[in-house]
Amino acid sequence: MHKGRRGVIYILANQYMPGLLKIGQTTRDPETRVREISRATGVPADFEIIYDEIVSDVDAAEAMIHTQLAASRVNKVREFFRLDVRSAIKIVQQVGREFAVDEGIEAEGVEILPQLEKRMRRWLRREIVSVEFVQFSDLCVLRVIEQPDVTRVDALQTVVDLRVLGDSGGEFGDGKLFSPLRAIQKNVQIFLELDAYSIIVTGLGLLSDEASLHVAHLVEQLSVEPPLSPGWQISSIEYDVWGSAVTDNEQILRLLRASDARRLGQPGHT
């Protein structure tokens, strides 16, 4: 198992450079790198991704490929090779097996149910006992575990491919809302900032039917979705003084009312 920076080896072609292939590496989404290369002055047309391979040590893998293809290299300080596509893909695949990603070791997971509950506790389905954001070398998924019957230990696990949330094309410029080449902490942050409507329409199955209907109603009314936190306010207070001596009741109620009044910012009555 090779240790190093995980990344992508890519093979690019350009229609105005027949017979030449560019073989390089990136630790980001390869499409982002292709856009950068294509914007360079002197490039007659955009490059096209012919093949890409995720590897566990992108620097070492690239160096090995370039060494094996030294005889085909057009310029030793450039990444262009005079090579047919089939041969190029074969060599990248061979080296890729030397630097294979071990998902069992490299997969990362973050339990996010506590953060979701902090934001929208009363909106979540009660059956859910775990929500984990899991990031593999080439994929981000959400692993949801629910326990429908609290009297039984049986639980149901659902894994959702987060590519269902589509393309961002925004701040991070990698074309993906959740990129496996981005730090998992950043991906988790993006997920936790999703609005309730996006969570519903993409079928993630996190919100209760009641909450989903409420959000649908807001959308139909073209209203702005209200913040989900704190999401509640005290409208009435009930004091349960069962078990106390009768003579203690008045004192208990008086102290509790004064405490609640202070907490709610109201004048206390003693």
Side-chain angles (χ1 to χ4, degrees), residues 92-150:
V92 170
Q93 288 177 333
Q94 288 174 345
V95 173
R97 287 192 286 271
E98 292 286 325
F99 297 89
V101 173
D102 187 334
E103 298 290 10
I105 296 175
E106 298 200 14
E108 298 180 89
V110 175
E111 176 61 53
I112 62 173
L113 183 57
Q115 294 98 311
L116 288 171
E117 288 183 327
K118 183 177 180 181
R119 180 189 172 203
M120 54 174 73
R121 181 180 56 154
R122 294 286 292 160
W123 288 44
L124 297 175
R125 290 172 49 229
R126 296 178 61 185
E127 298 87 354
I128 294 175
V129 295
S130 173
V131 179
E132 185 182 15
F133 190 103
V134 185
Q135 187 162 308
F136 297 96
S137 62
D138 57 351
L139 189 66
C140 294
V141 303
L142 198 69
R143 180 182 290 150
V144 181
I145 299 177
E146 56 187 281
Q147 185 183 15
D149 185 348
V150 297

Side-chain angles (χ1 to χ4, degrees), residues 7-67:
V8 179
I9 300 293
Y10 57 74
I11 302 174
L12 309 182
N14 192 299
Q15 60 177 319
Y16 290 105
M17 300 179 186
L20 290 182
L21 297 174
K22 180 174 174 60
I23 304 177
Q25 57 104 333
T26 182
T27 56
R28 297 172 294 160
D29 189 280
E31 294 179 1
T32 303
R33 181 61 181 143
V34 170
R35 288 195 294 269
E36 292 175 348
I37 297 171
S38 298
R39 284 198 298 266
T41 58
V43 177
D46 290 349
F47 281 92
E48 176 186 358
I49 300 176
I50 300 299
Y51 182 79
D52 60 59
E53 176 111 2
I54 297 174
V55 294
S56 61
D57 188 335
V58 71
D59 299 305
E62 181 191 47
M64 183 179 292
I65 291 169
H66 287 180
T67 298

Side-chain angles (χ1 to χ4, degrees), residues 227-246:
L228 302 182
S229 179
W232 52 267
Q233 62 181 13
I234 296 175
S235 58
S236 64
I237 301 174
E238 179 180 337
Y239 299 98
D240 186 351
V241 294
W242 181 86
S244 299
V246 175

